[in-house]
Amino acid sequence: TRLLISVDCGISSYEEVAAMPQDMDIIITDHHTPPDVLPAAYAVINPHQGLCRYPFKDLAGVGVAFKLCQALHCFQNQSTDYWDDMLELVAMGTVADVVPLGNVNRIFVKAGLEVLRARQRLGVDALCEQCGLYPNAPVGVDDIGYKLAPRINAAGRLKTAMMSVELLLAQNRDDAHCASVTLEQLNTERKTLES
């Protein structure tokens, strides 16, 4: 591995970054308050850094990563059309990160909810059904915060986050359904452990 990109973490991982191989480029995208000494990464992207000129400081972790993706897409393709196919994920991550829903976050969530309501991503559609959000039911911020996000997060808390990745990348309905059932079971287990 020659490149490592962290999302929503890493800003305080000074020792961990120092221990990585010297030939590995590390890009940290984060929105948490930076410590006095930053990790010696190839790049640290965080709107809370003192010299950051990005005007909106309350991006969620997913928002910072998405802005990096937009910038790379724009640089590589000389266009700014990289939006629609990822906005439902950006909306879900923004709501799940419990950041203020103003400014850019509001735009992400509003546009992402429109994509989410179209149910184009098989895994998200299967998860919505698992939560009782059927195709014609409106999906809102509360549905993300209290139904979808806890199920997606349960995998990383109890097993491995790859289970959620598999759901989001599912290419057929059977795989999407199986992944959503697994996340439902893990979320039930998480709730039992917490209570």
Side-chain angles (χ1 to χ4, degrees):
T1 302
R2 305 294 298 269
L3 173 64
L4 173 68
I5 301 174
S6 74
V7 176
D8 199 10
C9 64
I11 195 74
S12 60
S13 299
Y14 180 84
E15 292 177 11
E16 291 83 352
V17 171
M20 299 302 279
Q22 293 299 310
D23 64 344
M24 181 182 294
D25 289 332
I26 299 173
I27 298 173
I28 295 171
T29 68
D30 206 331
H31 72 119
H32 297 101
T33 303
D36 293 335
V37 179
L38 294 176
Y42 179 81
V44 176
I45 304 167
N46 183 322
H48 292 289
Q49 293 182 94
L51 299 177
C52 179
R53 294 179 292 163
Y54 189 73
F56 183 63
K57 304 301 181 186
D58 289 328
L59 285 172
V62 68
V64 177
F66 185 66
K67 285 295 188 180
L68 172 63
C69 292
Q70 279 186 308
L72 292 172
H73 178 82
C74 184
F75 177 78
Q76 185 175 13
N77 298 297
Q78 302 301 309
S79 73
T80 58
D81 62 355
Y82 185 69
W83 279 90
D84 295 344
D85 58 347
M86 296 292 165
L87 277 179
E88 68 185 313
L89 302 178
V90 177
M92 289 192 297
T94 299
V95 172
D97 218 350
V98 193
V99 294
L101 294 183
N103 202 298
V104 176
N105 291 338
R106 181 177 175 78
I107 294 168
F108 285 158
V109 171
K110 185 175 187 291
L113 282 172
E114 291 175 22
V115 177
L116 181 59
R117 290 173 184 140
R119 306 281 179 92
Q120 297 171 344
R121 191 174 303 273
L122 294 176
V124 174
D125 184 45
L127 191 61
C128 285
E129 286 185 18
Q130 198 66 235
C131 297
L133 301 171
Y134 296 102
N136 294 326
V139 178
V141 170
D142 286 347
D143 296 315
I144 293 173
Y146 295 108
K147 295 178 181 177
L148 300 175
R151 286 162 172 82
I152 292 170
N153 287 335
R157 293 180 193 275
L158 299 180
K159 299 282 184 184
T160 170
M162 283 307 297
M163 297 169 127
S164 296
V165 173
E166 289 168 7
L167 170 90
L168 297 174
L169 297 177
Q171 295 295 309
N172 64 64
R173 293 210 176 274
D174 289 340
D175 290 347
H177 176 73
C178 287
S180 70
V181 168
T182 299
L183 292 183
E184 180 68 27
Q185 292 167 345
L186 287 171
N187 191 51
T188 300
E189 183 180 341
R190 176 197 60 82
K191 287 192 284 188
T192 301
L193 288 169
E194 286 181 1
S195 64

